[in-house]
Amino acid sequence: TLGGGERSVFQGSFRSSYLINKRLGVKLSGQYLRGEDWEFDDQTEAAARLFADNNPEVCKAGLIARGWDSSTAELGCGRVGTRDYDLERYGFEARADYRFATDGTAILTYGRTSSTGIELTGLGAGQTVDWIYQFFQARMNKNRFFAQAYYNTSDAGDSWLLRDGVPLVDKSTLFVAQAQHGFSMLDDKQDFTYGFDIFRTRPDTEGTINGTYEDEDDVNEWGIYLQSKTILSDQLDLILAGRMDDHSMLDGQVFSPRAALVYKPVEDQSVRFTYNRAFSTPTTLNYFLDISAGVAPDEDLAKLGFTLRAHGTGPNGYSFQDSPGTLKGMRSPFAPGAILPVDPSVMWPMAMGVLQAQIAAGNLPPELAPLLPVLAGLSPTASDIGIVAYDVANGKQTALEDLNLSAVSSLKESYTETFEVGWQGILDGRLQVAADAYYTKKNNFISPLVVVNPLLLLNGLDVGGFIAAPVTGAIYEQLRDLGMDHDQALATATAQAEVIVPQLATGIGSVPLGVAATDEIPSQGSDLIVTYRNIGNIDLWGADLSFSLFLDAFTVNGSYSYVSIDWFQVRGYDPLSLNAPMNKGTLGLAYRNGSGFNAEALVRSTAQFPAESAGYVGTECRKKPSDPVGEFDEECVESATLVDLTMGYQVPNTAATIQLAITNLFDSPYRSFVGVPNIGRFALVRVKYDLF
């Protein structure tokens, strides 16, 4: 096949198979794609680019402090926020099948894929350059015995995160071995299937992704299972299954049961009742991710020097408090280096520097400058000025003495229990329908990356009360030096202070001076820490419906899915998003005839939904007007209705087929998540030719 289309796309593929002899066959296939991605202006990347341009030495010093050498730091600062929208992918696969018995086959497969382009991560977009994925697979089956082993490798090539420009190294591997067998008895009315799996995950990121966890991030898993199918009658089947798994990061084994009852009242129709308790183990990233994501996603925080760091829970977790109201320490962009005490006397000199910068930038009246020496000479204590903790995710402020941050615990497995009833059948030989409804309970739900440490500010009201007398006194002395008598100077100073003090208090109390930190995370930056959490239990229910109606040369098909929530509150945590719409559906019309022409039109519709993952937060549509707005927040993913069109034509008396595919026919801008570009129309024409 050869094809081309909009966005400068060129595409080609081939597939060929050969019978070497009666027992051995081989297949070769490959594909190639290049084009231009849709453009997107990531505000966080733009802020990081601006900061690197205006402060090249500061940017370089920050990367060197994180462990990079001088040349790599210079390279990183030079490519922050520089997107290359050209994409290129190619892949190749070779397969050999050997039939060693009438009921036995051995298969060897090798595949390799290389990718260059922009890929999304939980820490912003990444620029991939020659990221190579390879797999080696050997499998065999004889009668009901099946076994396979495969080995996957990854090499990130010259790839980097766009928010900080430093390299991403990924030379990880995965080894898997599986075997399955089964047997029947009682005249095939009873059937058993059993087997086992082994997974050995070996991350290798040279510290660029797993950071301080690099030498303790190996994961071993094994599982065994048994399934029973019993034919109770001609119309009723009972299926029971159980699985036991062990994970090297979890305590003990995990048991997963399943049961299903399938009833067939008439031919071509069936009703099923199922219960399933499955589990998902945390990924290696959930546990071992330790990577700086560059500047904070909020532009104002980025300008102040705050940064973002993703840090997995590790095997033991970590905490930011020794006890409620007592933080272990803080880091500040105004005093980089060691962890500092959370104390007004430490924060006050930083506030003076911020105040001076605000006056110089014109954000505060220049006539306040003479008061800076007076304020700089003050030394507040905790009884004079309180400290406020600010949650960037939801905009909530809490007095330090009332702050109670829950410790970040090592992740546990997440369970999903599902009860489902479903029906499928064929009516009148033309209409095929499937419908089901389900109730799901998720236990120990693992969140997306969420911010877990607050910013720290001086309480503006306390600042106003603390500086009122010194400011009034300073103004009074200035007026007395100008010759004004005592009573007039005092009245004038008091009046001016009533205007000046709120301005100063606002200027000091509105700027974050630090961020809660812990020595359990070896970071030198003023990092907002994002991590994963087990956030408790959530319940939801949903329903799915699909149908296909066959009318001679035409086929009408459609689907609809509903889920009861897309935004849920778990006690003790801020609301989280399901990252999927409550309603979505499709409706299609296909045409095929014997002349070689075929066509299909498909309408896809999705409802608006909130989305949240690390710095990508779009939840405004679910918040109440009275709710505070977090620093990262933006609009939800908008609803969209799109039309796709595909057509094909077999050229008479040739082996060529011409195919046209148009996605988003009417060029309606839409985005599928927060932080991604609006996608417009894309049309591709392809010619498929069968050589022999």
Side-chain angles (χ1 to χ4, degrees), residues 246-279:
D246 183 89
H247 189 286
S248 58
M249 290 293 293
L250 301 175
D251 295 329
Q253 285 76 45
V254 181
F255 178 66
S256 304
R258 184 185 183 204
L261 195 63
V262 181
Y263 174 59
K264 303 174 183 177
V266 295
E267 187 178 3
D268 295 332
Q269 293 190 37
S270 65
V271 180
R272 69 182 183 279
F273 305 89
T274 64
Y275 166 78
N276 188 55
R277 184 176 184 263
F279 83 101

Side-chain angles (χ1 to χ4, degrees), residues 233-485:
S233 70
D234 293 340
Q235 295 180 311
L236 194 62
D237 294 341
L238 174 64
I239 300 172
L240 300 173
R243 181 182 176 95
M244 183 75 73
D245 286 270
D246 183 89
H247 189 286
S248 58
M249 290 293 293
L250 301 175
D251 295 329
Q253 285 76 45
V254 181
F255 178 66
S256 304
R258 184 185 183 204
L261 195 63
V262 181
Y263 174 59
K264 303 174 183 177
V266 295
E267 187 178 3
D268 295 332
Q269 293 190 37
S270 65
V271 180
R272 69 182 183 279
F273 305 89
T274 64
Y275 166 78
N276 188 55
R277 184 176 184 263
F279 83 101
S280 58
T281 57
T283 66
T284 55
L285 286 180
N286 292 154
Y287 282 123
F288 305 121
L289 182 64
D290 179 21
I291 184 173
S292 173
V295 299
D298 178 75
E299 184 177 356
D300 293 333
L301 294 179
K303 289 179 179 178
L304 292 174
F306 288 98
T307 48
L308 189 72
R309 187 178 192 85
H311 199 277
T313 67
N316 303 312
Y318 46 88
S319 63
F320 295 93
Q321 282 185 306
D322 291 319
S323 61
T326 304
L327 290 173
K328 292 183 176 181
M330 71 173 185
R331 295 190 183 276
S332 173
F334 309 109
I339 293 180
L340 302 170
V342 182
D343 190 273
S345 63
V346 176
M347 300 171 71
W348 188 255
M350 304 174 190
M352 294 302 99
V354 170
L355 195 61
Q356 185 176 11
Q358 287 186 315
I359 294 174
N363 297 327
L364 290 174
E367 54 266 25
L368 299 180
L371 297 173
L372 288 179
V374 176
L375 298 177
L378 303 176
S379 182
T381 65
S383 61
D384 297 319
I385 300 177
I387 296 174
V388 174
Y390 176 80
D391 189 327
V392 299
N394 57 30
K396 294 180 180 178
Q397 296 191 25
T398 305
L400 183 60
E401 58 270 21
D402 298 326
L403 183 65
N404 188 6
L405 294 178
S406 57
V408 176
S409 302
S410 183
L411 291 173
K412 300 177 181 179
E413 67 275 11
S414 177
Y415 289 97
T416 301
E417 289 187 285
T418 302
F419 299 86
E420 181 181 15
V421 57
W423 171 84
Q424 63 180 15
I426 299 175
L427 306 177
D428 296 330
R430 290 177 174 267
L431 179 61
Q432 181 175 312
V433 181
D436 66 87
Y438 59 87
Y439 167 78
T440 293
K441 182 175 182 179
K442 293 181 178 290
N443 302 288
N444 287 333
F445 181 78
I446 297 177
S447 73
L449 286 169
V450 293
V451 180
V452 291
N453 58 333
L455 294 169
L456 302 172
L457 306 86
L458 291 174
N459 187 306
L461 292 177
D462 292 347
V463 169
F466 178 70
I467 67 174
V471 168
T472 303
I475 298 174
Y476 170 81
E477 293 298 333
Q478 293 172 2
L479 296 176
R480 289 287 285 166
D481 291 342
L482 294 175
M484 190 176 293
D485 63 58

Side-chain angles (χ1 to χ4, degrees), residues 598-616:
N598 64 81
E600 182 175 6
L602 179 68
V603 180
R604 297 178 286 134
S605 183
T606 58
Q608 180 188 61
F609 66 94
E612 178 180 6
S613 179
Y616 298 123

